[in-house]
Amino acid sequence: MTTATASTAAPARTYRDYDRPLWQRLLLTREMAIVGLLVVVAVVASLSVRGFGQPITLTYLILDVTPILLIALPMTLIMITGEIDLSVASIVGLSSVLIGVLTQAGAPFELAIVVALVAGAVAGAINGFLVTVVGLPSLAVTIGTLALYRGLAVGLLGTTAVTDFPDFWTDLAKMKLGGSNVPAVLLLFLVLLVVFVVLLHFTPFGRGIYAIGLSKSAARFSGVHVERTKLVLFVLSGTIAALAGVYYTLRFGSARGDNATGLELQVIAAVVLGGVSVFGGRGAIHGVIAGVLLIGILASALRLANVTSDVINIITGVLLVASVVSNSFLAWLRTKRRAPGGTARAKASAAG
């Protein structure tokens, strides 16, 4: 009798992610809202900003956002675990300087690229070691290495710039596909995009990333090697940042110690805008890509409308703050709905 009464009184439990139809779970999400906003902004910009709809604008838009798109891939995974990497722009600058110094010294350009990529992986491994083995907060660690790697870059090259690179490589960075206006570098990004999408959304490693972001203790009990996973992600972040540095150097034909200064803020803004929670455990790559493109399209349209870079930075900052606030508000709203009696109150309010 007691068992029956308890069974009757117990509230029915459902998995919130699966108590709605499939189309709602796919379309009624924060990520798809960003995709929809991206489409709206692109259409409005094409109709209202002179020159925005021209093919050459698309070319420069892709060239401009490619470093952000590349770095945003591993940054998404790192932030889903609840960590952050603020040193990525400094790694871009350091890899660029290494390419310049080695090329200036007469080393083969291919060797310079390999050295830059290895340096990026080592820089990421240092970040990962300090976070996972030493146990320091990633925010503090990467603020420190942001200054360290940038200092190394400026120290190696000083205030000078190296601009003498092989024409083959500089042309390759700006080459277009066939007779179109689509830069060939987009192919590199698409390959990496497929790799990261599969890694995050279709493998046990990716499920472990989400588990870490939700609860490190629960992830460990589930068999996830938390420290090793984070270390791998930081190494990936450093390597991809170095790859972005190679592209950055070739695209502008210049290796400087201050290359990509401030780029980390654009990456983080796009990742958060794309729906990745700053507390970890939530996010999807398609939302992040939409966030990167949204910020890129806004910046491009505003520049064509003769808006200053300071105003563009303000708008980007407002978007980031609004994204964080809306994310926190939606989380609070979901908590209120899931609270005991919340559903009953909602139904009573609707009936009244």
Side-chain angles (χ1 to χ4, degrees):
M1 185 68 177
T2 305
T3 304
T5 304
S7 175
T8 304
R13 296 184 179 182
T14 60
Y15 289 98
R16 301 290 302 182
D17 291 340
Y18 295 94
D19 62 355
R20 298 181 299 165
L22 178 62
W23 69 271
Q24 290 186 12
R25 285 185 271 131
L26 292 176
L27 299 180
L28 301 184
T29 63
R30 178 184 176 84
E31 291 80 13
M32 292 308 297
I34 297 299
V35 172
L37 182 60
L38 169 65
V39 173
V40 170
V41 170
V43 171
V44 171
S46 298
L47 295 176
S48 60
V49 179
R50 184 178 179 181
F52 183 83
Q54 296 180 357
I56 190 64
T57 303
L58 173 64
T59 300
Y60 281 104
L61 175 63
I62 295 174
L63 290 173
D64 288 341
V65 301
T66 291
I68 303 175
L69 286 170
L70 290 172
I71 299 172
L73 293 175
M75 184 69 77
T76 299
L77 276 60
I78 286 177
M79 292 185 67
I80 289 175
T81 66
E83 305 292 351
I84 197 168
D85 186 355
L86 294 174
S87 68
V88 286
S90 296
I91 295 176
V92 171
L94 179 59
S95 65
S96 176
V97 165
L98 287 174
I99 290 174
V101 169
L102 290 172
T103 302
Q104 198 174 45
F109 192 77
E110 294 79 2
L111 176 61
I113 292 177
V114 172
V115 171
L117 294 177
V118 171
V122 171
I126 292 172
N127 289 338
F129 175 83
L130 293 174
V131 171
T132 61
V133 178
V134 181
L136 299 176
S138 58
L139 179 63
V141 167
T142 56
I143 285 176
T145 53
L146 177 154
L148 171 63
Y149 300 151
R150 183 65 69 182
L152 288 173
V154 174
L156 284 172
L157 204 55
T159 58
T160 61
V162 178
T163 58
D164 187 18
F165 299 112
D167 292 338
F168 169 79
W169 287 100
T170 54
D171 292 341
L172 183 64
K174 295 174 281 189
M175 186 178 69
K176 300 173 184 177
L177 294 174
S180 69
N181 286 282
V182 179
V185 70
L186 188 61
L187 290 178
L188 171 64
F189 167 71
L190 291 177
V191 170
L192 289 173
L193 174 62
V194 171
V195 171
F196 276 89
V197 167
V198 172
L199 184 67
L200 179 61
H201 296 293
F202 299 100
T203 66
F205 184 82
R207 290 191 289 272
I209 290 173
Y210 283 105
I212 293 170
L214 292 170
S215 171
K216 295 182 182 66
S217 299
R220 286 192 180 93
F221 281 118
S222 300
V224 177
H225 199 303
V226 175
E227 287 73 22
R228 184 173 60 192
T229 300
K230 288 184 180 182
L231 180 60
V232 169
L233 294 182
F234 276 105
V235 172
L236 279 175
S237 179
T239 305
I240 297 297
L243 179 63
V246 173
Y247 166 75
Y248 202 98
T249 304
L250 294 175
R251 192 249 165 134
F252 294 104
S254 175
R256 295 172 53 92
D258 60 352
N259 273 356
T261 299
L263 189 70
E264 69 280 346
L265 298 181
Q266 298 179 52
V267 174
I268 293 169
V271 171
V272 174
L273 181 63
V276 176
S277 172
V278 293
F279 303 107
R282 172 178 168 75
I285 287 183
H286 67 279
V288 171
I289 302 307
V292 173
L293 294 177
L294 176 59
I295 292 177
I297 287 174
L298 274 174
S300 177
L302 291 172
R303 280 196 297 267
L304 288 173
N306 296 320
V307 176
T308 64
S309 60
D310 292 334
V311 175
I312 294 174
N313 290 335
I314 291 172
I315 293 174
T316 302
V318 169
L319 276 175
L320 178 58
V321 172
S323 175
V324 174
V325 170
S326 64
N327 202 21
S328 299
F329 175 75
L330 290 175
W332 173 83
L333 200 60
R334 284 193 295 268
T335 302
K336 295 292 288 184
R337 288 184 59 189
R338 295 179 188 181
T343 304
R345 285 195 298 271
K347 289 182 178 178
S349 176

